[in-house]
Amino acid sequence: GQVSNANQIICNIDEIAAADGSMTSAEHDEWKSEALIWRAYILLKMSYIWGDVPVVTTIPPAITAENIEEVYDAYFPVRRPIGEVFDRIIEDLEYAAAHAPEVNTANKMLLSKAVANGLLARTYAEKTRQDWGKVASYCQKVEDAGFSLVDRYGDLWAYDDDDAARNTSESILEVT
């Protein structure tokens, strides 16, 4: 369902931009990037659980008795080998790392360039795509975006009525 939600944006953003007329190319790229980050994140989590998973990148047409044979595979896609899943994740995240919104330290709910770079580092740390040079490079990009470890580990789990422990320097993506 979440991959489908992301695909709704990814597959329709060009038509929305054309119909709207006021959407800038930067806004177009940011919206698309955020959806690509979300799809990549979900595919990565799915691959942790099941390994080979379907990689859906389209929105299937309405299914009817007349077209069931043609659209069946779009509704019930086959599992793709983990290597292909990671290829899609990397492709999505590389686009997003270039076009996603910049980090907003006051709002860590934003799917930013740092989120894309962090997920790329995590993807390249996986056994299927292990490349420690790329892991270090993408981690450096996250650090260059202003992220660092907090001084006190306990602050990561702290909570108070003023939300003092939210949006810390270590938090790349945070749902508050």
Side-chain angles (χ1 to χ4, degrees):
Q2 292 300 311
V3 169
S4 177
N5 290 342
N7 284 341
Q8 289 294 329
I9 296 170
I10 297 163
C11 296
N12 291 310
I13 193 71
D14 294 338
E15 291 177 34
I16 294 167
D20 177 53
S22 66
M23 181 183 283
T24 67
S25 61
E27 289 171 324
H28 169 278
D29 291 346
E30 286 180 1
W31 275 85
K32 184 174 181 178
S33 294
E34 290 178 282
L36 288 167
I37 291 169
W38 188 246
R39 181 170 72 188
Y41 173 77
I42 296 301
L43 287 173
L44 189 60
K45 293 298 184 181
M46 289 170 56
S47 72
Y48 291 163
I49 298 168
W50 296 293
D52 298 347
V53 295
V55 177
V56 179
T57 60
T58 60
I59 302 168
I63 193 167
T64 65
E66 291 79 29
N67 72 357
I68 192 166
E69 294 295 328
E70 295 102 45
V71 301
Y72 183 85
D73 289 340
Y75 277 92
F76 302 100
V78 298
R79 288 181 171 204
R80 309 306 310 165
I82 191 77
E84 288 181 31
V85 176
F86 276 50
D87 289 344
R88 169 51 57 188
I89 291 168
I90 290 167
E91 183 179 332
D92 287 355
L93 292 173
E94 285 176 343
Y95 177 92
H99 301 286
E102 296 295 335
V103 172
N104 178 345
T105 56
N107 178 11
K108 299 284 183 84
M109 289 178 61
L110 192 62
L111 294 169
S112 66
K113 290 179 181 183
V115 175
N117 285 318
L119 288 172
L120 277 163
R122 187 172 187 151
T123 302
Y124 279 112
E126 294 297 322
K127 198 179 283 187
T128 305
R129 280 290 182 271
Q130 209 161 63
D131 183 331
W132 296 115
K134 288 185 179 183
V135 171
S137 173
Y138 287 115
C139 285
Q140 187 61 55
K141 288 179 182 185
V142 172
E143 287 182 33
D144 291 346
F147 295 93
S148 63
L149 298 177
V150 294
D151 293 331
R152 292 183 21 207
Y153 179 74
D155 288 347
L156 293 175
W157 318 111
Y159 175 80
D160 63 26
D161 292 333
D162 298 323
D163 293 336
R166 300 205 183 204
N167 294 318
T168 66
S169 63
E170 193 167 330
S171 173
I172 300 171
L173 176 65
E174 185 173 325
V175 179
T176 56

